[in-house]
Amino acid sequence: MGGNSGQPDADTAASLAEECPFGCVELPRRSTGRLIMHSMAMFGREFCYAVEAAYVTPVLLSVGLPRSLYSMVWLLSPVLGFLLQPVVGSASDYCRAGWGRRRPYILTLGVMMLLGMALYLNGDAIVSALTADPRRKLVWAITITMIGVVLFDFAADFIDGPIKAYLFDVCSHQDKERGLHYHALFTGFGGALGYLLGAIDWAHLKLGRVLGTEFQVMFFFSALVLILCFIIHLCSIPEAPLRDAAKDSLPPQAPQDPPLSSGRMYEYGSIEKVKNGHVKPELATQGGKNKNPAEQTQRRMTMKSLLRALVRMPPHYRCLCISHLIGWTAFLSNMLFFTDFMGQIVYHGNPYSAHNSTEFLTYERGVEVGCWGLCVNALFSSLYSYFQKALVSFVGLKGLYFTGYLLFGLGTGLIGLFPNVHSTLVLCASFGVMSSTLYTVPFNLMAEYHLEEQEEQRKQAQGGGPDGSGRGQGLDCATLTCMVQLAQVLVGGGLGFLVNLAGSVAVVVLTASLAALIGCCFVAVFVRYMD
């Protein structure tokens, strides 16, 4: 799909950009086709997320998982993600694999997602083929299914950071904004398609009879979509490897008009001084001034230095992370319990009644309609993502950020106070506004922060000053995305207590509304926006 025709120095620019760990050069313009290919990873990930949302609870119930283990299933993955994601994000900043810095991590996490889906959708069938003992079958089916759910959630949550860092590494500032909008657009499309396929009664269709059960049908589609999307994503934009600066250290005396070596490290602004594959002598001298190549090679993050970098994070990054945490806490509070809210509050069903009772069948009908509401959310998320590119020129990122939180807070508040089938489905559009906002605006702000830092470091480099803080884009993206895991921990650990205390699942929707309205105030007052 689209290439880089008409830009003869694209490969040189990409190579230079990858050799500087924190994105210090001007990168070539990326075509729309390449950015769409890059966004296919988000399509595949969200498609599989939708399948999980539709099928994990039925799968866990079908294998006999005790209710006492539910909280452990949903809390283990986000706890691991919150603790490990910044570590992996920092490690990817210094990854020297020949295939690039981010793509090896994306491929590994994609394989983990596929393995997790295989285990939780086929765990019962696997155990049934290996043992006939009912007791052992129950224990192993529960164990394998839990491992699959945790593995899938862990990898699917983790992979967002490397995908965003990959986009930031290989794209200019303008292309980062375009790429993030395409990410949100295809995230919505993937979720909508996943929910639609999950709503089909495959057990009564020929494909369902051929593959065995609807669980196997959904695994077939999920695996096919995930593999194809990740192949397209990994082949979208070339990512040059990070060279070892110690092996390619600059000579003591730079010759006149030395050739541009793809293995050398240059300062900010170096790409602007490259002509016909050569670099100016004063630039080479400046690149080696006050630089010890061995020290550059050893700038890997230890756990101690990682914690120090996080503690010393600039205040505007910290405020952005807090606003992201508030937003995802509000969003997940609503989304994780929305179908249950539809079944119990809107349709007045009872999930604890006998399975052949009217109350239980009414509850199931509410859950089905709730899935259609989630489909409305996904479709409107894609639609809003498309129009964001036009809206941002009128209201700016601050207006988009504030509007997303405000509409979600008002929408969920009205749903909680006045539960009605038709109004609830219409107000599900506000969920899509919030979803698109969370997937684009914070990362757009981070891209602007990075651009400002690069400009400052370029000036420091030209003046012979020290280079940056040692934080890479991988670490920053991972820190921002791990707020999602922290929000899952807060939601999983706190909302169950609130529901038991209030005696109604309606408190969940009202809590989401309150959190979003608090987030409105925070993003308006504390988050920093660039002029």
Side-chain angles (χ1 to χ4, degrees), residues 71 74-75 78 333 336-337 486-497:
S71 59
W74 296 118
L75 288 177
S333 297
L336 293 180
F337 293 87
L486 182 55
Q488 289 179 352
V489 173
L490 295 177
V491 170
L495 284 186
F497 172 76

Side-chain angles (χ1 to χ4, degrees), residues 85-346:
Q85 197 165 56
V87 178
V88 175
S90 174
S92 71
D93 281 329
Y94 298 93
C95 176
R96 298 185 181 276
W99 203 28
R101 282 186 287 171
R102 318 297 181 186
R103 288 190 290 181
Y105 288 88
I106 294 172
L107 178 61
T108 302
L109 292 168
V111 172
M112 291 172 62
M113 287 177 62
L114 187 61
L115 179 59
M117 284 192 304
L119 291 178
Y120 82 74
L121 286 174
N122 301 287
D124 192 38
I126 293 172
V127 173
S128 298
L130 296 177
T131 181
D133 183 14
R135 184 174 180 82
R136 293 182 62 186
K137 178 180 175 181
L138 175 64
V139 173
W140 279 105
I142 292 175
T143 302
I144 290 177
T145 303
M146 287 179 62
I147 292 174
V149 172
V150 171
L151 185 63
F152 174 83
D153 272 343
F154 176 80
D157 291 340
F158 230 103
I159 205 169
D160 192 43
I163 290 174
K164 293 295 191 297
Y166 178 18
L167 177 72
F168 285 11
D169 286 344
V170 298
C171 291
S172 64
H173 181 70
Q174 292 76 15
D175 287 340
K176 290 175 187 177
E177 294 181 346
R178 294 170 60 216
L180 288 171
H181 286 300
Y182 284 124
H183 278 199
L185 182 68
F186 283 93
T187 294
F189 282 151
L193 183 59
Y195 287 124
L196 287 176
L197 289 178
I200 297 175
D201 187 4
W202 294 102
H204 294 85
L205 297 179
K206 184 176 180 180
L207 185 59
R209 292 192 293 269
V210 170
L211 294 178
T213 68
E214 58 183 348
F215 296 157
Q216 278 72 56
V217 173
M218 292 312 299
F219 173 70
F220 170 77
F221 281 115
S222 300
L224 181 64
V225 169
L226 185 68
I227 291 172
L228 290 177
C229 287
F230 272 76
I231 289 175
I232 295 172
H233 169 77
L234 294 172
C235 297
S236 59
I237 303 176
E239 186 187 13
L242 184 66
R243 306 295 184 184
D244 189 342
K247 294 181 181 179
D248 299 310
S249 58
L250 293 171
Q253 292 182 349
Q256 181 68 22
D257 199 24
L260 178 62
S261 169
S262 64
R264 292 177 181 171
M265 303 283 287
Y266 298 102
E267 288 294 343
Y268 289 92
S270 61
I271 191 63
E272 299 173 357
K273 302 181 182 180
V274 173
K275 292 184 178 179
N276 301 322
H278 288 74
V279 62
K280 291 186 177 181
E282 64 270 19
L283 176 61
T285 305
Q286 179 184 327
K289 182 171 57 178
N290 297 329
K291 294 282 185 181
N292 186 340
E295 291 179 358
Q296 283 188 344
T297 306
Q298 295 173 1
R299 287 180 63 192
R300 299 175 183 272
M301 281 283 185
T302 62
M303 193 64 188
K304 181 179 179 180
S305 61
L306 171 62
L307 293 175
R308 187 185 304 119
L310 293 175
V311 170
R312 296 179 180 178
M313 178 180 289
H316 52 281
Y317 279 95
R318 189 176 299 113
C319 289
L320 183 61
C321 288
I322 294 173
S323 68
H324 205 51
L325 173 62
I326 296 172
W328 273 105
T329 300
F331 188 69
L332 292 175
S333 297
N334 179 71
M335 298 302 288
L336 293 180
F337 293 87
F338 180 70
T339 53
D340 188 45
F341 171 83
M342 288 290 291
Q344 290 196 56
I345 305 301
V346 178

